Amino acid sequence: MEYIPDMKDDVDSWEEVQLVYNSALKEIGTKLEILNDEFAHVHQYNPIEHIKSRIKTSESIVKKLKKNGYDATIQNMVKYVNDIAGIRVICSFTSDIYRIAEMLINQDDIKVVSVKDYILNPKSSGYKSYHLIVTVPVFLSDRILDVKVEIQIRTVAMDFWASLEHKIHYKFEGNAPEHIKRELVECAMMVSDLDAKMLSLNEEIKALK
């Protein structure tokens, strides 16, 4: 079932939301760490460089709800906001992105809600990343809740680009000067070329071994 918290009062309800979504992040984080350890054991190679996680702030959630025409209620947060819990997986190579996504999707208790492949289909800004919305079971003392988590998987180079793009977006409130937008797209193309060259070089090194 989808998580709908008991409405006792606003503070307790928001605290419960944080508890449940933090628990979901821990579940996904543990799965990723185990997969990374297993991969290192079998292939002598770690596909994951590092993992970042966060819970969206209540202010950010309310802003998103209002932007989409929904009332700012706890129920609407849970129902309509898919990225309350977010986890970002940073890899070395593009091939690792799809490998990690496949390993996660194949787990019996993970349910895929949606997939957006911005690597094969980049945004007009040049943004590249692989996005999954999944549900993971969170086991509480009296019930099991299926909780949504957004998972973003990208290379180190993609993450570096996205970090700068994010700063520019907020600095100019989404209206950056055209020449900056063009240069960002050019940088995204360079990042893509770099990822391709690094992957090719890595494959050559593995073949020589």
Side-chain angles (χ1 to χ4, degrees):
M1 62 178 178
E2 206 167 52
Y3 173 58
I4 305 294
D6 295 328
M7 291 292 290
K8 296 177 182 176
D9 59 58
D10 289 342
V11 175
D12 286 345
S13 296
W14 174 240
E15 287 178 349
E16 191 175 6
V17 168
Q18 290 178 304
L19 167 68
V20 170
Y21 281 92
N22 266 313
S23 300
L25 284 179
K26 289 176 183 177
E27 292 281 355
I28 295 291
T30 299
K31 286 177 178 294
L32 287 166
E33 288 173 7
I34 291 170
L35 288 171
N36 200 40
D37 290 346
E38 182 199 10
F39 202 88
H41 173 70
V42 174
H43 302 284
Q44 289 74 54
Y45 167 64
N46 292 99
I48 298 174
E49 291 286 338
H50 56 275
I51 299 169
K52 305 174 186 176
S53 62
R54 64 101 183 99
I55 296 292
K56 213 174 186 68
T57 65
S58 57
E59 292 83 5
S60 182
I61 295 170
V62 168
K63 185 178 178 180
K64 190 166 190 176
L65 284 171
K66 289 182 177 179
K67 180 181 177 181
N68 293 315
Y70 299 113
D71 292 332
T73 66
I74 295 292
Q75 286 86 353
N76 283 348
M77 286 182 184
V78 172
K79 186 173 183 180
Y80 297 115
V81 182
N82 290 330
D83 62 344
I84 293 176
I87 194 160
R88 186 173 299 151
V89 185
I90 312 302
C91 310
S92 297
F93 306 105
T94 50
S95 57
D96 295 330
I97 293 171
Y98 295 100
R99 184 177 291 119
I100 291 163
E102 183 181 12
M103 290 191 294
L104 271 177
I105 290 169
N106 286 339
Q107 298 205 5
D108 290 342
D109 57 348
I110 294 284
K111 298 174 185 175
V112 178
V113 176
S114 69
V115 176
K116 291 182 180 178
D117 189 342
Y118 295 117
I119 298 169
L120 289 178
N121 302 290
K123 293 184 178 182
S124 59
S125 64
Y127 176 84
K128 284 189 171 186
S129 187
Y130 191 90
H131 291 197
L132 285 166
I133 303 291
V134 303
T135 64
V136 62
V138 171
F139 294 81
L140 300 179
S141 60
D142 58 346
R143 61 203 189 280
I144 303 171
L145 306 170
D146 288 328
V147 184
K148 287 181 287 188
V149 178
E150 182 190 54
I151 305 168
Q152 298 178 356
I153 315 174
R154 59 179 67 151
T155 64
V156 174
M158 290 175 193
D159 190 55
F160 177 52
W161 182 95
S163 176
L164 179 60
E165 194 267 348
H166 182 77
K167 291 175 185 176
I168 291 171
H169 178 82
Y170 277 92
K171 182 175 179 62
F172 294 101
E173 297 182 346
N175 295 304
E178 287 302 318
H179 74 280
I180 290 181
K181 291 180 182 178
R182 287 195 301 271
E183 290 188 26
L184 268 178
V185 172
E186 290 176 11
C187 287
M189 293 171 66
M190 287 188 278
V191 165
S192 183
D193 289 341
L194 175 62
D195 272 333
K197 288 178 181 178
M198 294 295 282
L199 176 60
S200 177
L201 182 59
N202 186 60
E203 292 300 320
E204 184 177 346
I205 291 169
K206 288 196 295 185
L208 289 172
K209 283 185 178 180

